[in-house]
Amino acid sequence: MDCPYCGYPDSKVIDSRDVNEGIRRRRQCLSCGARFTTYERMQPASLFVVKKDGRREEFSRDKLLIGIRRACEKRPLPTGTVDKVVDDIEAELYHLGKPEIPSAVIGDMVMERLKSLDYIAYIRFASVYRDFADITALKREIDTLVSDETKISHPTSQLPLLPDEELGKVAKVRKRSRK
Ligand SMILES: [Zn+2]
């Protein structure tokens, strides 16, 4: 690693520590004495995704990120949520230790996570990924979500399909129009 300040090719390590499955090294240039940090990370073995039609494609973190980001667009999720979901899935995929993963497995992992985060993002992702044959199939999925919602109170992180205040507004309007 060349010194980023003077370009000298040699440096000494003055500190190193493990961070997030990698090593962080604090280095000092042997020529100008400047200090800089390098990160060393294991290069994971390449992972292939097997698509529905049998084609193989190298796993792309970016593609996964784009798909999830699209589903979460304009949803009130905390900053970094999408990246966290992608990180989790990526880690889980490499952890499986298989050279090939069916795209359906990845899709299910995404759906499972989105379902616990935000129903709208989940339905958006599902409608693309599951390719709902018709509106009835989509409605069935939404009905399942709604009945889940009434069975167990939704987790604190989950946004309701219709916020209570909006339901209140609707009720008020109805009352008023009846007079
Ligand atoms: Zn230097």
Side-chain angles (χ1 to χ4, degrees):
M1 175 87 198
D2 295 347
C3 168
Y5 302 96
C6 73
Y8 191 73
D10 212 0
S11 58
K12 66 173 176 183
V13 175
I14 50 178
D15 180 48
S16 72
R17 65 184 64 180
D18 291 342
V19 282
N20 305 324
E21 295 174 30
I23 300 170
R24 174 186 181 277
R25 291 190 213 278
R26 194 79 181 126
R27 293 172 183 271
Q28 185 166 26
C29 174
L30 292 181
S31 171
C32 75
R35 292 178 175 199
F36 55 98
T37 307
T38 57
Y39 291 92
E40 217 171 88
R41 192 173 281 251
M42 276 284 287
Q43 172 75 49
S46 52
L47 178 67
F48 283 84
V49 178
V50 186
K51 315 247 259 174
K52 257 185 254 169
D53 60 10
R55 279 185 300 131
R56 282 165 175 71
E57 195 172 81
E58 193 158 356
F59 169 73
S60 157
R61 183 198 154 87
D62 287 343
K63 245 188 203 174
L64 184 62
L65 184 69
I66 290 167
I68 299 176
R69 196 176 274 161
R70 201 172 285 153
C72 294
E73 209 164 70
K74 302 210 173 106
R75 295 304 299 157
L77 294 166
T79 318
T81 303
V82 174
D83 292 278
K84 173 88 174 60
V85 170
V86 175
D87 284 348
D88 282 356
I89 292 174
E90 194 182 21
E92 197 175 329
L93 288 176
Y94 283 111
H95 194 77
L96 290 173
K98 291 182 185 157
E100 293 183 346
I101 310 263
S103 60
V105 171
I106 302 177
D108 287 345
M109 285 178 177
V110 176
M111 302 236 293
E112 188 188 299
R113 282 166 176 81
L114 290 184
K115 199 172 188 173
S116 66
L117 278 175
D118 185 78
Y119 286 158
I120 302 293
Y122 167 75
I123 285 294
R124 279 184 190 154
F125 187 86
S127 68
V128 174
Y129 163 74
R130 268 211 189 145
D131 208 4
F132 289 114
D134 51 52
I135 194 82
T136 319
L138 182 59
K139 186 182 176 296
R140 211 178 300 134
E141 183 64 34
I142 293 175
D143 287 346
T144 313
L145 289 179
V146 173
S147 71
D148 279 358
E149 177 108 324
T150 48
K151 254 179 272 161
I152 37 158
S153 63
H154 50 78
T156 45
S157 63
Q158 181 67 54
L159 298 152
L161 286 171
L162 244 188
D164 291 343
E165 23 178 310
E166 274 183 39
L167 284 173
K169 248 184 260 163
V170 173
K172 259 179 233 158
V173 171
R174 278 208 196 115
K175 244 184 244 166
R176 226 175 284 148
S177 63
R178 237 178 254 146
K179 278 182 195 168

